[in-house]
Amino acid sequence: MDFKTELLSSIQIMINRKLGDYKADRTYKSVVKSISPKGYVVLDEAGSERIVPCCIPSIALKAGQGVWLKEPMGDLKGLHICGIL
């Protein structure tokens, strides 16, 4: 077996394992589908509907409006609207 190939393969496996556990803030585009008394209904990155708050003070969003969603540290419970498109 080639030593260089085996070493590179082992390094690639270690990197892939670490990236699987990596958590960071993710921001992505979405659309406000509707408005409920609890918050705004938007689609998350997987396509599921979520009710989220808006962290922009003094703003009223409308259905169909494009927004930026922030998912802090990969936690969907903390998903919120952080900007407008």
Side-chain angles (χ1 to χ4, degrees):
M1 200 163 239
D2 186 22
F3 175 73
K4 294 176 189 176
T5 305
E6 187 65 30
L7 183 63
L8 289 174
S9 176
S10 298
I11 292 170
Q12 185 64 44
I13 290 170
M14 289 188 310
I15 290 172
N16 288 342
R17 287 182 183 167
K18 287 294 180 184
L19 286 178
D21 296 335
Y22 181 71
K23 294 187 187 231
D25 289 355
R26 295 188 329 191
T27 304
Y28 47 90
K29 295 178 186 179
S30 186
V31 175
V32 175
K33 290 192 74 176
S34 63
I35 301 167
S36 74
K38 294 183 179 180
Y40 297 96
V41 179
V42 296
L43 295 175
D44 66 6
E45 200 169 30
S48 300
E49 288 187 357
R50 303 258 179 204
I51 298 175
V52 299
C54 181
C55 70
I56 305 169
S58 314
I59 194 160
L61 301 173
K62 299 176 184 172
Q65 190 167 9
V67 293
W68 286 102
L69 293 179
K70 182 174 272 187
E71 185 180 318
M73 301 299 288
D75 180 23
L76 285 174
K77 292 179 185 175
L79 190 66
H80 61 278
I81 296 171
C82 65
I84 301 171
L85 294 176

